Amino acid sequence: MTFPVIAKEFRGGELENTHQGIICVLNEKKEIVYEKGNAEHSTFYRSAMKPIQAIPIFTTNVIEKYNLSNREAALFTASQRGEEYHQDALESLMKKLQLSEEMLVCNKSYPLNEEPKQTYIWEHKPPRRLLHNCSGKHLGFLAYSRERGYGIDRYTELNHPLQQEVLHLVADLSETPFDQINTAVDGCGVPVHGVPLKNMAISFLKFVVPELNKDLKTADAVKKIGNVMNQHPEIVASHNFICTALLEDNNIIAKGGAQGVYCLALKKEKISIALKVLSGSELVWPVIVAELLKDLNYSNTDTIDRLLEIRSNSIRNDNGKIVGETKVFL
C-alpha cells in the first residue's frame, strides 16, 4: 500500500525529510468532508486513547469522594512531561487516592522535558514510576479498579474487567466491530487498540457532540473529561506543546499519541480530525494542524498562531536563524 505525502521539510532548498500520512475530517453526521489517503487504514490510538481510557473513572464518584481538584483529575487524561507542576499534582493525586507508587506497572522514568530532567539528575534523584508519561492514567486505572472491587494486581491485562470496559468503550465510541479492532501492548504496559482512522475521528467527535453517545453515563463522562482538559491544558501535556496550545481554546478537545497519531474535535463546528504521520514524527503536527484549521476557515486565529509559535513553516537552527521550511500538502 502506498501513502500520500502530507509534509516535506527542506533545508537550504534541498529536500531533507518526506512525511507520508493519512488525514480524515468528519462532520457532525460522521461523513468524511476531507480525506487524504485511505481513512480506512487501521491505526493504533497510542496516547490519543487516554480520554477514552479515562471514561470509566469519570462515571464514578471517585473525584468527589477523594476531593480531587480538576487539575488533579486532568492527570487521568494526561501525557505529563515531568514539569514541577506535574510532579506536584501527581504527588497530591496519589496521596489523596491513598495509592502507592509501587502499585504502578509503568516503568521508572525521569521527567521528559529537558529542563526538569536536567534539574532532577543534577539533584541526584532516582527515576520514579510516578514520573512516567502515563502515570496519571495508571493512577486512574488503579483507583477505578479498587472502587469497583476488581482487584488491582493485574489491572494491565486485557482480560481484566477494567481493560474489557475500555475495549467496549473503544468499540462503542469509534463504532468499530470487535473483530475489526486490533489490540497490542502500549509503551506503558497496558492494552492499546487500533481502529480505522475514520473511526478514530468518530470517537473524538463524540467528545464534542456528547449526544451522539447512546449511553447516558458515557455522555456525561465525556463532558466532564472535556471540561477538565480545557481547564488545565498544561497538565494534559505541558507548555510549548501542541495539546496545550489547542486545549487553551475551549472550543477544542485534542490529544496526541506516539508515532505520529493526532486527534482533535471542534465543539461549535461539530467537526473532528484524525491524522497519522507515518514517519512517526511529532514535529510536523503543529504545522499540519494549523494548515487544516486554516482550510476550515477556523475563526479563532489565536489558536492557529499558538500552533505556529511552537513550530512554524520556517525551520530554524539553534541560533534562531531560518535555514529551511516545511511545506504541507493537503
Side-chain angles (χ1 to χ4, degrees):
M1 182 182 293
T2 59
F3 298 92
V5 172
I6 59 175
K8 290 183 179 181
E9 293 175 285
F10 297 85
R11 185 176 296 267
E14 293 293 323
L15 178 64
E16 187 168 45
N17 294 310
T18 297
H19 302 280
Q20 295 173 301
I22 314 163
I23 302 171
C24 180
V25 182
L26 300 181
N27 64 17
E28 62 182 303
K29 296 179 181 178
K30 308 171 201 171
E31 299 168 334
I32 295 178
V33 295
Y34 174 78
E35 181 180 20
K36 181 89 171 181
N38 181 9
E40 297 296 330
H41 180 73
S42 183
T43 305
F44 285 113
Y45 277 90
R46 303 301 301 267
S47 282
M49 199 166 75
K50 282 178 177 171
I52 299 176
Q53 291 168 312
I55 290 174
I57 197 163
F58 278 87
T59 64
T60 69
N61 70 339
V62 164
I63 293 171
E64 295 77 17
K65 180 177 179 179
Y66 293 94
N67 194 30
L68 304 184
S69 67
N70 285 339
R71 181 168 174 261
E72 291 158 347
L75 286 166
F76 297 141
T77 73
S79 295
Q80 62 83 24
R81 301 187 63 84
E83 292 290 338
E84 189 171 341
Y85 50 81
H86 291 130
Q87 295 180 42
D88 291 344
L90 284 164
E91 291 280 9
S92 177
L93 176 62
M94 186 169 65
K95 182 178 180 180
K96 285 184 178 181
L97 290 175
Q98 299 168 31
L99 295 169
S100 67
E101 196 163 346
E102 291 71 28
M103 296 175 178
L104 299 170
V105 167
C106 45
N107 198 25
K108 294 179 181 179
S109 301
Y110 288 109
L112 277 183
N113 281 355
E114 195 59 33
E115 187 174 338
K117 181 180 179 180
Q118 289 178 0
T119 299
Y120 208 81
I121 294 173
W122 179 258
E123 294 175 351
H124 303 291
K125 294 180 179 179
R128 298 178 61 183
R129 288 186 173 90
L130 195 67
L131 292 180
H132 190 282
N133 187 239
C134 300
S135 59
K137 175 181 74 177
H138 282 250
L139 288 170
F141 282 167
L142 288 166
Y144 179 75
S145 296
R146 182 182 62 192
E147 196 70 15
R148 293 295 299 271
Y150 288 159
I152 60 174
D153 54 337
R154 295 178 179 176
Y155 75 92
T156 63
E157 296 181 6
L158 182 60
N159 62 2
H160 188 278
L162 161 65
Q163 299 303 339
Q164 284 296 302
E165 286 188 28
V166 171
L167 175 58
H168 281 77
L169 284 164
V170 168
D172 289 344
L173 268 74
S174 70
E175 300 181 7
T176 307
F178 286 103
D179 62 359
Q180 294 180 27
I181 297 176
N182 296 316
T183 299
V185 180
D186 214 338
C188 65
V190 303
V192 64
H193 306 298
V195 300
L197 196 73
K198 175 186 176 181
N199 299 72
M200 194 177 289
I202 290 173
S203 67
F204 267 72
L205 183 65
K206 292 179 179 178
F207 277 85
V208 297
V209 191
E211 57 268 25
L212 291 177
N213 294 284
K214 295 178 181 178
D215 182 78
L216 294 179
K217 287 177 68 176
T218 299
D220 184 56
V222 299
K223 291 178 188 175
K224 293 176 180 176
I225 290 167
N227 286 337
V228 300
M229 292 176 76
N230 285 135
Q231 288 177 26
H232 295 281
E234 79 290 348
I235 291 293
V236 178
S238 75
H239 58 283
N240 297 324
F241 200 79
I242 182 173
C243 289
T244 302
L246 288 169
L247 289 168
E248 285 177 3
D249 184 336
N250 287 328
N251 190 49
I252 295 179
I253 299 299
K255 187 69 184 72
Q259 300 303 316
V261 179
Y262 208 86
C263 300
L264 67 148
L266 313 179
K267 297 176 186 177
K268 183 175 66 177
E269 295 81 1
K270 299 182 179 179
I271 286 175
S272 67
I273 301 169
L275 66 91
K276 165 73 171 177
V277 182
L278 286 159
S279 65
S281 175
E282 301 176 9
L283 293 175
V284 292
W285 278 346
V287 185
I288 293 172
V289 173
E291 290 298 325
L292 284 166
L293 292 177
K294 287 179 185 177
D295 273 18
L296 291 168
N297 295 315
Y298 189 57
S299 60
N300 193 340
T301 57
D302 288 344
T303 298
I304 296 171
D305 291 342
R306 282 197 301 274
L307 292 173
L308 296 177
E309 285 173 6
I310 296 170
R311 172 77 182 247
S312 73
N313 295 79
S314 298
I315 295 173
R316 298 177 182 271
N317 70 3
D318 295 342
N319 292 322
K321 181 181 178 181
I322 295 176
V323 295
E325 63 175 332
T326 302
K327 292 183 178 180
V328 176
F329 299 88
L330 298 181

